[in-house]
Amino acid sequence: MRAPSLHHVTQGSVHLGWDNSIPPALEVESGAEMELEVRDASGGQLHRHSDASAVAELDFARVNPVTGPVFVKGARPGEVLAIDILELRPRDWGWTAIIPGFGLLADEFPDPWLRISEVDASADRVRFGAGVSLPYDPFPGTIGVAPQEPGHHSIVPPRKWGGNMDIRHLRAGSRLFLPIGVEGALLSVGDTHAAMGDGEVCGTAVESSMDITLRLTVRKDLRIRTPQYFVPH
């Protein structure tokens, strides 16, 4: 476990859409490390003792909150923000749901369903239930910077500035590169997962609140048009 971060952003600093006019929750120098508290994808609407009825009552206006934004001093439009993912620390449980009308199999599974899993980071396992144990492999499903375009933009689709990309390879040790659209970059992160396959076929992974530690570095020597990432061997 890493030592406590110099900078900290609580889950009270969340927003529900990309907007470059949102005031930053934190300002840091390039190269700074910080810990951000991330809410689960339901925004706290589902709990350890929830059942399928709570899934049917989800308010989609409150889903996929992201923590931030973080203003990085010296970051300019056209430059690149390098994001080193250093550590993810989950709560001890997570949830997976089938949400009516949502996901690739919505026509085949029309009824709400919910599974509460035990997340045991020390054992590197997610106990999914019914004798099924999954590898614990945490990552942030949503990570991005503010778009250059003004106004409110949905969290849901990925875009050139990052966002809800659901790339399970962005685990601890990986580095993500994002093009910067506005001064300060304004990075936010959310939708942390304890485990996921190659995509969210039912619309959800093992969703779990987490604390995530990142290092943010402005790269003035790079130019990219879309997100890129590096996964060490």
Side-chain angles (χ1 to χ4, degrees):
M1 181 179 297
R2 298 180 60 84
S5 299
L6 176 62
H7 304 286
H8 189 86
V9 183
T10 71
Q11 62 177 314
S13 297
V14 298
H15 54 100
L16 293 162
W18 302 110
D19 188 334
N20 61 32
S21 69
I22 296 174
L26 176 70
E27 293 191 14
V28 298
E29 301 287 347
S30 176
E33 296 181 10
M34 69 219 60
E35 183 180 70
L36 300 98
E37 298 178 5
V38 173
R39 297 184 185 183
D40 72 283
S42 79
Q45 296 181 77
L46 298 179
H47 306 280
R48 181 191 290 275
H49 302 295
S50 295
D51 58 25
S53 65
V55 175
E57 297 170 358
L58 280 175
D59 179 359
F60 267 70
R62 296 168 54 192
V63 303
N64 267 22
V66 288
T67 300
V70 177
F71 184 101
V72 185
K73 297 176 184 178
R76 301 286 185 267
E79 298 172 348
V80 172
L81 186 66
I83 304 150
D84 289 293
I85 300 173
L86 304 177
E87 183 182 21
L88 295 106
R89 295 189 291 113
R91 308 301 178 262
D92 60 359
W93 69 280
W95 62 267
T96 304
I98 293 177
I99 303 169
F102 186 69
L104 296 178
L105 302 178
D107 292 339
E108 298 181 47
F109 298 93
D111 299 323
W113 176 89
L114 179 67
R115 170 77 71 184
I116 302 297
S117 299
E118 177 187 348
V119 178
D120 187 347
S122 62
D124 287 328
R125 304 305 297 175
V126 174
R127 297 182 178 89
F128 190 74
V132 177
S133 177
L134 306 173
Y136 168 66
D137 196 10
F139 71 97
T142 301
I143 184 167
V145 296
Q148 194 172 59
E149 302 79 12
H152 178 93
H153 302 268
S154 171
I155 287 286
V156 176
R159 56 190 80 235
K160 68 177 291 185
W161 315 110
N164 187 24
M165 300 183 289
D166 283 325
I167 300 173
R168 68 184 183 92
H169 304 292
L170 294 180
R171 57 178 68 91
S174 298
R175 178 177 295 169
L176 172 66
F177 298 94
L178 295 176
I180 296 172
V182 298
E183 183 179 358
L186 296 176
L187 175 123
S188 299
V189 59
D191 189 29
T192 40
H193 300 151
M196 191 186 81
D198 289 320
E200 291 178 313
V201 176
C202 72
T204 61
V206 179
E207 312 288 339
S208 180
S209 299
M210 296 190 188
D211 297 335
I212 181 170
T213 306
L214 305 174
R215 182 189 302 118
L216 306 183
T217 306
V218 178
R219 293 292 302 268
K220 298 181 178 296
D221 58 325
L222 297 178
R223 294 293 183 271
I224 58 175
R225 293 188 175 185
T226 56
Q228 300 182 24
Y229 63 92
F230 170 76
V231 178
H233 295 292

